[in-house]
Amino acid sequence: MAGSNQAIAAGAKGRSYLNEECGLFHMRRASRAAGKLYADILDHAGLDSSQFSVLNTIARFGPISISEIANRLGLDRTTMSRNLIPLEKKGLIEMSDASKGRARYIELSAAGHEVIAEAIPRWQKAQAEFRNLLGDEDMETLIALMNRVYDATSAKS
C-alpha cells in the first residue's frame, strides 16, 4: 500500500494531477469562492449562507418539522437539529414542544421575520452579482448540473 501511495505522489510531483481530474475538488473550490461572495453580502444581516437557507425555508414552508427542513435542504435530521440551535439562541425561530412522539415544528419568531426581511434583498444582490459573473445561460446550466449531481448521488445514499 505504501508503495502505491508513493507512486501516486511521484506521478503527481510538481502538479496537482489528482485535483485536475477530481470532480469533488472542483465543486468544493467553486463552492468556497461563490460562498464567499454570498457571505460577504449576507454578513451585514448577521447570517451566514446556511442560516439564511434555513430561515428562508422556514419562512416559505413554516410551521415545518425539523425532518422536512432537513429534506428540503439535503441534510440529515441530526445536522439540521444542530443548525437550528444558534438560530433558536438568537431568538430567530420558535420550536413547538414535542408531545408523545409528535414532531417538533419550527416557525420564525418576530425577530426571525425581521432578519429574513433584511436578508432577502442582500441575498438578491449576491444572486445578481453571481448571475452577472456567469451570465444567464451558464447560471442555468450550473443549477441544472448541480441538481443532477445531487439527484444522482443522493439516490445512492
Side-chain angles (χ1 to χ4, degrees):
M1 183 69 142
S4 64
N5 287 341
Q6 289 172 346
I8 290 171
K13 261 190 185 158
R15 51 187 266 228
S16 58
Y17 173 75
L18 295 177
N19 288 345
E20 290 171 6
E21 295 183 2
C22 179
L24 182 59
F25 167 79
H26 290 285
M27 284 190 301
R28 285 189 171 170
R29 183 178 68 170
S31 178
R32 284 189 297 272
K36 184 172 178 352
L37 183 148
Y38 282 81
D40 289 347
I41 292 172
L42 284 173
D43 188 52
H44 297 289
L47 298 173
D48 63 34
S49 59
S50 294
Q51 292 172 331
F52 173 81
S53 293
V54 171
L55 289 179
N56 187 52
T57 300
I58 296 168
R60 289 183 63 208
F61 301 104
I64 183 172
S65 72
I66 295 171
S67 294
E68 181 64 19
I69 300 168
N71 288 338
R72 289 185 176 278
L73 297 177
L75 300 170
D76 63 77
R77 190 183 189 290
T78 302
T79 301
M80 188 70 260
S81 293
R82 278 194 310 265
N83 289 347
L84 292 171
I85 293 169
L87 298 174
E88 186 176 31
K89 284 183 178 177
K90 287 181 178 181
L92 302 179
I93 60 171
E94 296 172 349
M95 294 189 195
S96 67
D97 289 328
S99 60
K100 296 187 182 181
R102 295 188 56 187
R104 295 180 78 186
Y105 284 84
I106 315 298
E107 60 187 319
L108 294 184
S109 65
H113 282 287
E114 289 176 22
V115 166
I116 199 71
E118 179 187 343
I120 286 173
R122 294 176 186 282
W123 173 86
Q124 289 169 328
K125 179 181 179 196
Q127 184 73 358
E129 284 186 29
F130 190 53
R131 184 174 284 275
N132 187 52
L133 289 170
L134 294 182
D136 289 339
E137 187 176 332
D138 283 350
M139 182 71 160
E140 299 308 318
T141 299
L142 176 66
I143 291 169
L145 284 172
M146 291 296 103
N147 284 329
R148 192 168 144 208
V149 167
Y150 177 77
D151 291 343
T153 57
S154 64
K156 292 185 179 263
S157 356

